[in-house]
Amino acid sequence: MPALTADQKMVLEMVRQVAREVLWPLAPEYDRSGAFPWPQLKKLGQLGLLGMTTPEAWGGAGLDSVTWALALEEIAAADPSVAVILSVTSGLPQYMLLRFGTEAQKRKYLTPLARGEWIGAFCLTEPHVGSDPASLKTRARRVPGGWRISGVKSWVTSGGEAQVYVVMARTEAGISSFIVEKTTPGLSFGPPEEKMGLHAAHTCEVRLEEVFVPEENLLGPEGRGLAQALAGLDSGRIGIAAQAVGIARAAFEIARQYADERTQFGQKIREFQGVGFKLAEMHAQIAAARALVLEAAAKKDRGERYTLEASTAKLFASEVAVGVTRAAVQVLGGYGYHRDYRVERYYRDAKITEIYEGTSEIQKLIIARELYR
């Protein structure tokens, strides 16, 4: 853990307070109901936490990526569903608009996103296109004044709730990125998917039927959409890795407390080597995962290439999240299987971190490629 500045400590203390007072109490209710957590997001937006790394000139807080990653960990420890919504809207649409958008696009779309007035969504995956985005079938054809887009996107986080969608579609020049507003005619949404975890973070199909997008809503040069999406995913993977660390840490803290309170055979169960060693391993894995996340975030802050570090952090942290939450359930025994103790939810929520924004297998391919650059 690097030494934090006074400003970083102040931000993180504010995040911990809102996580403890607003997110933690509501998380079980929203997991059971599956309601989208707009009240929590509005509170985070009021505090400037939905646009943490966007510069102040565009409505954000202008914070560094290290602070963003640590804040996401705190939010994920309280409610992983809120964390992934925050990670996606700030790590993908805002990042791509900031890096590739025109001044007019930033004024119109980035500013309300960074202020927390809107949230954004990222539309790359399709029903038959997941790990191979170069094969996407959604098409955009030129028409007078702009483009007409047709296709289906799947597994879109915040689909149907977000106000702004960054959509990748195939054009004559290759894959291009477009900014699509929720109210655009021809844009519709499937029902929220019934998922194993992250119930409050709605995920659905986004359907585009001859959706008209004006010329000024092409994001960056035509044909550069795949490169832009991959750059966005590098950024987003730091957020997902931080989310994974937060999930693991929260489950570990519950298990640690339980092991200190539960007595069997006349002693606390933490005194049994089988439990004590398990807790030690969990702690070491979480610390290592956090270090990898912060290394990637620091490289991003320095303006250096960080693809290798982001994929390494995402691969390791997501596997740690699954392993630690599974171990936490085991430490609690039967109570670990009960909703009142929350670790069963963290176990369910952890699994997706090995899948979205690039599966663990894809991260290994990226890492292997980057080692020989």
Side-chain angles (χ1 to χ4, degrees):
M1 183 77 156
L4 300 179
T5 66
D7 286 345
Q8 287 175 317
K9 291 178 181 177
M10 181 177 66
V11 170
L12 290 175
E13 182 51 43
M14 175 187 69
V15 173
R16 289 188 190 103
Q17 182 176 352
V18 73
R20 183 172 57 248
E21 297 178 359
V22 178
L23 304 183
W24 174 266
L26 294 174
E29 172 190 341
Y30 276 76
D31 176 65
R32 282 190 290 269
S33 71
F36 195 77
W38 274 119
Q40 297 91 311
L41 293 169
K42 290 184 185 301
K43 180 63 175 179
L44 294 178
Q46 292 167 1
L47 295 172
L49 298 178
L50 294 187
M52 279 186 275
T53 57
T54 298
E56 294 180 13
W58 301 110
L63 300 174
D64 57 278
S65 298
V66 168
T67 304
W68 178 65
L70 290 170
L72 270 172
E73 178 186 330
E74 295 294 337
I75 291 167
D79 190 335
S81 288
V82 172
V84 72
I85 296 167
L86 188 155
S87 177
V88 168
T89 190
S90 58
L92 289 164
Q94 285 187 54
Y95 176 79
M96 293 175 71
L97 281 163
L98 179 64
R99 185 166 173 185
F100 306 112
T102 64
E103 296 294 299
Q105 288 170 345
K106 291 174 185 176
R107 280 196 302 272
K108 186 173 182 180
Y109 298 109
L110 179 57
T111 299
L113 286 169
R115 288 176 177 167
E117 298 164 3
W118 294 351
I119 59 171
F122 177 75
C123 303
L124 178 62
T125 300
E126 297 181 357
H128 302 290
V129 177
S131 297
D132 182 18
S135 299
L136 65 83
K137 297 179 180 178
T138 298
R139 294 193 173 273
R141 73 177 197 281
R142 278 194 178 274
V143 296
W147 308 77
R148 289 279 180 187
I149 306 178
S150 293
V152 177
K153 298 295 182 178
S154 57
W155 300 108
V156 177
T157 298
S158 302
E161 301 288 347
Q163 291 85 359
V164 180
Y165 297 78
V166 176
V167 178
M168 270 55 69
R170 190 173 298 282
T171 64
E172 290 184 0
I175 295 172
S176 303
S177 300
F178 299 89
I179 306 165
V180 182
E181 299 179 26
K182 180 182 179 180
T183 55
T184 306
L187 185 69
S188 62
F189 309 97
E193 303 286 358
E194 296 186 9
K195 302 176 302 201
M196 176 180 175
L198 298 182
H199 294 160
H202 290 187
T203 307
C204 73
E205 279 193 345
V206 174
R207 301 158 184 166
L208 303 101
E209 299 179 16
E210 290 291 291
V211 170
F212 176 74
V213 177
E215 183 67 41
E216 60 266 24
N217 279 29
L218 174 67
L219 181 59
E222 183 184 353
R224 295 294 298 163
L226 183 57
Q228 294 168 358
L230 294 177
L233 286 168
D234 279 347
S235 172
R237 283 167 184 151
I238 296 176
I240 298 305
Q243 179 202 23
V245 173
I247 292 171
R249 194 195 82 197
F252 165 72
E253 289 174 350
I254 294 170
R256 181 178 61 180
Q257 180 178 349
Y258 181 84
D260 191 49
E261 296 172 351
R262 177 74 165 173
T263 299
Q264 291 288 276
F265 304 104
Q267 60 183 357
K268 294 180 177 181
I269 64 170
R270 65 174 172 79
E271 297 174 5
F272 292 101
Q273 191 176 88
V275 175
F277 279 17
K278 193 183 298 291
L279 292 170
E281 291 169 356
M282 294 160 73
H283 167 77
Q285 290 166 351
I286 293 166
R290 182 183 297 112
L292 288 172
V293 172
L294 297 182
E295 179 188 13
K299 286 201 77 171
K300 181 184 176 186
D301 284 336
R302 294 195 298 267
E304 301 173 14
R305 181 180 175 85
Y306 61 96
T307 300
L308 173 62
E309 289 76 15
S311 286
T312 302
K314 203 269 191 186
L315 170 66
F316 187 77
S318 62
E319 293 185 349
V320 164
V322 172
V324 166
T325 54
R326 182 177 61 244
V329 171
Q330 194 69 21
V331 170
L332 269 70
Y335 291 111
Y337 208 63
H338 197 288
R339 283 194 168 189
D340 284 353
Y341 283 79
R342 298 193 187 222
V343 290
E344 64 83 28
R345 175 168 60 84
Y346 288 119
Y347 191 20
R348 288 187 285 109
D349 288 348
K351 181 56 190 174
I352 191 59
T353 65
E354 293 185 314
I355 298 172
Y356 58 17
E357 294 200 25
T359 64
S360 291
E361 291 73 19
I362 290 297
Q363 302 314 312
K364 291 174 185 178
L365 286 174
I366 294 170
I367 292 165
R369 180 194 66 202
E370 289 294 313
L371 290 175
Y372 290 95
R373 280 186 63 87

